[in-house]
Amino acid sequence: MLDIKLLRGDLENTAEKLLTRGVKLDKDHFIHLETQRKALQEKTQTLQAERNKKSKQIGQLKSKGENAQVVMQEVSHINAELKSAEEQLKTLQQAIHQFILEIPNIPHDSVPKGKNETDNQEIRRWGTPTTFSFEVKDHVLLGEQLKLLNNDAASKISGARFTVLHAGLARLQRALIQFMLDTHTQQHGYTETYVPYIVNAESLQGTGQLPKFAEDLFQLKAEQGFYLIPTAEVPVTNIVRDSIIAADDLPLRFVAHTPCFRSEAGSYGKDVRGLIRQHQFEKVEMVQIVTAENSYQALEELTAHAEFILQQLQLPYRVMNLCSGDIGFSAAKTYDLEVWLPGQNCYREISSCSNFENFQARRMQARWRNPDNKKPELVHTLNGSGLAVGRCLVAVMENYQTQEGYIQVPEVLKPYMGGMDKIMG
RNA sequence: GGAGAGGUGGCUGAGUGGUCGAAAGCACCGGUCUUGAAAACCGGCGUAGGUUAAUAGCCUACCCAGGGUUCAAAUCCCUGCCUCUCCGCCA
């Protein structure tokens, strides 16, 4: 959520920055709402002040045993007027709040301006695309030939965009998760965290998925308004919702493995083959809660933490600085890591690392106490996949395939595979 | 699922429908004292919004959330959420 002061005080400039995202701010609508709000608020508060004053008078008169009938009559008149003013004001304030909730974050100055993913800026590459002396298979063919990937069963059990993994492949996924969690906790200073996979609407509003992106979520048919998490970002970041954190406790670094559930509404026909885009997938997520002055340094570190996993797995990748038209709703800046997939002959997103500045913090009322002035200030929040496990599985399968159609186990995963060095079905 | 208790400022915790934005303690900040520190003493210390040149003053709202009663609600009533205790059931 943007600071409403940015809209009140610097509407033109704010609208211009949002335009780089391709979002046209309805300035006139906002001005209209604000003008009304201001007038109504002044009216309401004046009436309230009058009512309070006269009610006190009544109390004083009564305590002296005098007749308060006249004043009571006056207050009744005020109340009649006040009631409708209060109701109107409430409606207006809700409208303004809803309006602001649907405005995305302002891109940081270092974000390249552009329309869509073709304008993203490549920052660096690591490794060179794997070359093969034989014809490469994609992960689906590999998995099916080894009888380790059972999409027929998945579509019978659930439907499209689900999968069943067996034996060495299922274990490889578990190995990846363990490796990632161990690396982030032991080498990068994150606290391993286990969280609910079902969250309430407040949490989703806190991180920005609601109200605008409800159709991307699976909602449970329960009275409480429960949703399946689309990413661990939601439960993990909301740990600090409605709290004031002591300066000594910052930065907070959490890492969690969770399944993620996404409806993928509107992506029909896109990535239908294989594990790239599923309704359910595993992800290891890093979340950092930091002070405003540290957040951009934290973004670089967080990105490096995700990169380290790819480096350890010896998977070639590149780092993209997403352009203003391609960054997510809540983010001020995002680096995507794209891993090389031989089966598709291209780089594909495997991690997204973002600084949300105080956009999520304002929605969540997540603050820390600044020792300089003793005042609570909004924290900055960041998160990044470290990594998307399903896609990482794809990358390992395709990059580590052998001529015989087996999958070699990356060196760093061998301890997690009970010493197995080849997955043969 | 049944029975009960409770949700008040950064924390603990008082609060009889009217001068309660809320006692007291802790924490924190400033001061006195001290070579310095501690102790003691004195003072300060919530958040948001409006008005304003103002981080001054004044005004408004906020005692879990949402309704209601009343001239007036932290206080009374209803609903919801959450926490705790006991019993039952259960991985």
Side-chain angles (χ1 to χ4, degrees):
Chain A
M1 189 163 66
L2 293 184
D3 189 345
I4 193 167
K5 286 174 189 151
L6 278 178
L7 299 173
R8 285 180 185 154
D10 203 6
L11 189 59
E12 284 303 324
N13 197 13
T14 305
E16 221 168 275
K17 285 182 174 167
L18 289 171
L19 202 58
T20 67
R21 279 179 168 270
V23 170
K24 195 164 182 300
L25 187 69
D26 192 344
K27 288 180 287 189
D28 292 340
H29 182 56
F30 179 75
I31 292 168
H32 176 70
L33 288 174
E34 261 296 285
T35 313
Q36 278 188 294
R37 189 217 99 237
K38 209 163 168 175
L40 253 174
Q41 185 160 347
E42 282 176 37
K43 181 183 171 189
T44 306
Q45 294 191 353
T46 308
L47 289 169
Q48 285 169 330
E50 263 180 75
R51 179 204 59 195
N52 291 348
K53 213 158 138 192
K54 297 208 163 163
S55 287
K56 264 181 196 173
Q57 264 180 39
I58 293 168
Q60 283 162 355
L61 287 172
K62 286 200 165 178
S63 67
K64 281 188 252 168
E66 292 175 25
N67 191 328
Q69 207 56 46
V70 182
V71 191
M72 282 169 76
Q73 199 98 79
E74 286 171 6
V75 180
S76 294
H77 289 308
I78 294 172
N79 275 346
E81 202 178 347
L82 183 58
K83 197 178 175 190
S84 83
E86 278 178 336
E87 275 166 15
Q88 286 176 57
L89 180 62
K90 196 177 161 190
T91 309
L92 258 178
Q93 282 174 328
Q94 278 170 352
I96 291 172
H97 190 237
Q98 285 307 311
F99 181 79
I100 296 174
L101 278 179
E102 302 212 356
I103 301 173
N105 203 353
I106 292 172
H108 187 253
D109 286 341
S110 62
V111 169
K113 292 184 178 38
K115 274 196 174 123
N116 51 45
E117 68 274 9
T118 59
D119 296 320
N120 292 344
Q121 180 183 49
E122 186 175 313
I123 301 286
R124 58 182 167 270
R125 280 186 189 211
W126 187 91
T128 46
T130 326
T131 51
F132 296 88
S133 56
F134 51 90
E135 196 176 336
V136 294
K137 298 171 184 161
D138 79 347
H139 67 283
V140 182
L141 192 55
L142 278 165
E144 284 177 347
Q145 286 183 347
L146 292 170
K147 298 198 188 310
L148 298 176
L149 190 64
N150 194 344
N151 284 330
D152 291 344
S155 58
K156 175 173 62 187
I157 299 164
S158 300
R161 294 202 190 284
F162 287 94
T163 200
V164 169
L165 306 179
H166 293 297
L169 197 56
R171 182 164 187 177
L172 185 64
Q173 164 154 288
R174 181 159 56 91
L176 282 167
I177 293 165
Q178 307 285 49
F179 167 65
M180 291 177 196
L181 285 173
D182 285 350
T183 303
H184 293 313
T185 54
Q186 290 163 19
Q187 297 190 46
H188 299 150
Y190 290 79
T191 304
E192 184 168 351
T193 303
Y194 172 79
V195 289
Y197 302 159
I198 295 175
V199 294
N200 57 33
E202 287 75 27
S203 293
L204 287 156
Q205 183 173 299
T207 34
Q209 285 78 11
L210 288 179
K212 214 173 175 183
F213 306 102
E215 77 274 10
D216 297 338
L217 302 166
F218 283 114
Q219 183 170 15
L220 268 51
K221 204 172 177 182
E223 288 173 21
Q224 294 95 326
F226 281 150
Y227 297 80
L228 295 178
I229 55 169
T231 158
E233 164 192 354
V234 179
V236 177
T237 312
N238 273 278
I239 288 171
V240 298
R241 172 151 59 91
D242 291 322
S243 59
I244 299 175
I245 301 156
D248 290 348
D249 292 338
L250 293 179
L252 291 172
R253 289 179 167 182
F254 298 115
V255 62
H257 154 247
T258 71
C260 304
F261 303 94
R262 299 190 182 175
S263 76
E264 294 298 343
S267 66
Y268 306 111
K270 201 170 163 190
D271 299 321
V272 284
R273 185 174 164 83
L275 303 177
I276 294 291
R277 191 173 299 277
Q278 302 262 293
H279 285 311
Q280 172 185 321
F281 61 95
E282 305 304 304
K283 185 156 60 70
V284 170
E285 185 79 0
M286 302 173 284
V287 170
Q288 291 203 30
I289 312 293
V290 304
T291 61
E293 57 176 356
N294 293 328
S295 69
Y296 277 94
Q297 199 200 327
L299 177 62
E300 298 301 323
E301 291 168 4
L302 181 96
T303 307
H305 297 152
E307 285 180 64
F308 185 70
I309 300 291
L310 287 170
Q311 291 166 10
Q312 292 293 294
L313 292 168
Q314 296 282 306
L315 293 170
Y317 68 89
R318 60 179 189 176
V319 181
M320 307 297 285
N321 184 4
L322 297 196
C323 76
S324 56
D326 201 32
I327 52 174
F329 177 80
S330 302
K333 181 171 185 175
T334 298
Y335 291 121
D336 268 7
L337 305 189
E338 297 182 345
V339 70
W340 178 255
L341 295 185
Q344 300 196 16
N345 202 42
C346 67
Y347 286 99
R348 285 302 300 258
E349 177 189 344
I350 194 166
S351 172
S352 195
C353 303
S354 305
N355 184 1
F356 302 92
E357 299 188 0
N358 63 23
F359 188 86
Q360 294 181 325
R362 184 173 290 105
R363 289 170 164 246
M364 293 192 297
Q365 281 304 296
R367 295 170 294 174
W368 69 294
R369 200 171 285 280
N370 188 337
D372 292 344
N373 55 14
K374 303 292 166 199
K375 297 280 184 194
E377 292 177 10
L378 293 170
V379 296
H380 278 200
T381 61
L382 301 97
N383 69 54
S385 355
L387 307 159
V389 179
R391 289 190 180 179
C392 198
L393 193 64
V394 171
V396 170
M397 290 170 79
E398 295 191 359
N399 282 283
Y400 280 85
Q401 61 183 295
T402 68
Q403 186 152 18
E404 300 77 30
Y406 302 147
I407 299 157
Q408 286 184 294
V409 175
E411 204 54 41
V412 290
L413 295 184
K414 284 180 185 169
Y416 296 94
M417 294 292 287
M420 192 192 297
D421 65 355
K422 213 184 286 168
I423 297 169
M424 299 191 290

